[in-house]
Structures are given as C-alpha cells and as structure tokens.
Amino acid sequence: MLQFRFSYLVNKLHSDCPITPISTLFSVWAAVNRLTIDDIVLGPNQRIDVETALKAMTIYGAKLNFEEDKIGTIEVDKYSDFVVLDQDPTSVEPILIKDIQILSTIINGEVVYENKEVDFVLN
C-alpha cells in the first residue's frame, strides 16, 4: 500500500539577499502594496492583507522549514525571538509599513538591539 504525505500550500515572503537588503517590514510592505519603483501596482490581484503577510514572515515560514515547534510564534518552549515596533503594522496605512521603526530586537530572550534614536525603554 502506498502512503502519501499531503501538504498544504504555505506562502513565505523573503528577500533576494544579497541582491536586495534584508528587511522584513519592506517585504511585508511589498506584498501588501505591490508597488514598483515608479508607483505602479504590479499584479493588483496578487496583493495580500497585512495579517497574511506577517504570518508569511513568521508562522508560514516556520512551517515551510519544518520548524514550527521551535519558531514562528511566541509560545512557551519556543525561541523568544521578536522585535518591538513603534507602530502596529495592522493599524497603519499599508503604504507606511516600510517606515515603521524597530525599537528593540530580542533574540533568545536577550535584548540585542535598542534604537537609541527613539525615546523607548524595554522593561
């Protein structure tokens, strides 16, 4: 008897690094807005909503890499890697997502970056 492992389509956003810079928020912005450098919407029917774009950078990427038990969401027994942003990407105008500032970056529970240009304290 043959056994098949069925998988579902998982979308993941990514950059073409080192051709383009790594910027998670820019990747989200691009997927949501689909704007070219000339402000032309490229494939308007291929735009996705902000929540789906954020999931593509986190949850769906973890599933695609078979690491959803370690990364992708903030839960007990998972790596505690995340950023603190100065604005909520789901509540700003989509065109402004790429301009959201990272206030702090936490890797494995340790603060590894704090934006010194913004008056912010993580405690």
Side-chain angles (χ1 to χ4, degrees), residues 26 29-44 46-47 95 98:
F26 185 81
W29 174 89
V32 170
N33 293 288
R34 303 277 301 169
L35 286 177
T36 68
I37 199 165
D38 297 319
D39 287 332
I40 298 168
V41 177
L42 182 64
Q46 295 178 11
R47 287 186 274 193
I95 200 71
K98 66 180 177 50

Side-chain angles (χ1 to χ4, degrees), residues 14-23 26-27:
H14 59 85
S15 73
D16 287 331
C17 182
I19 306 303
T20 59
I22 296 173
S23 172
F26 185 81
S27 294

Side-chain angles (χ1 to χ4, degrees), residues 14-89:
H14 59 85
S15 73
D16 287 331
C17 182
I19 306 303
T20 59
I22 296 173
S23 172
T24 301
L25 289 170
F26 185 81
S27 294
V28 169
W29 174 89
V32 170
N33 293 288
R34 303 277 301 169
L35 286 177
T36 68
I37 199 165
D38 297 319
D39 287 332
I40 298 168
V41 177
L42 182 64
N45 60 330
Q46 295 178 11
R47 287 186 274 193
I48 60 176
D49 63 90
V50 176
E51 186 174 332
T52 301
L54 291 169
K55 286 179 179 180
M57 294 300 297
T58 56
I59 297 168
Y60 302 156
K63 287 181 180 181
L64 187 64
N65 292 327
F66 304 104
E67 294 186 304
E68 63 269 29
D69 60 327
K70 299 178 203 165
I71 62 172
T73 57
I74 299 174
E75 297 179 58
V76 174
D77 294 328
K78 288 189 176 185
Y79 290 106
S80 52
D81 301 347
F82 61 94
V83 295
V84 178
L85 305 174
D86 75 335
Q87 297 179 73
D88 177 356

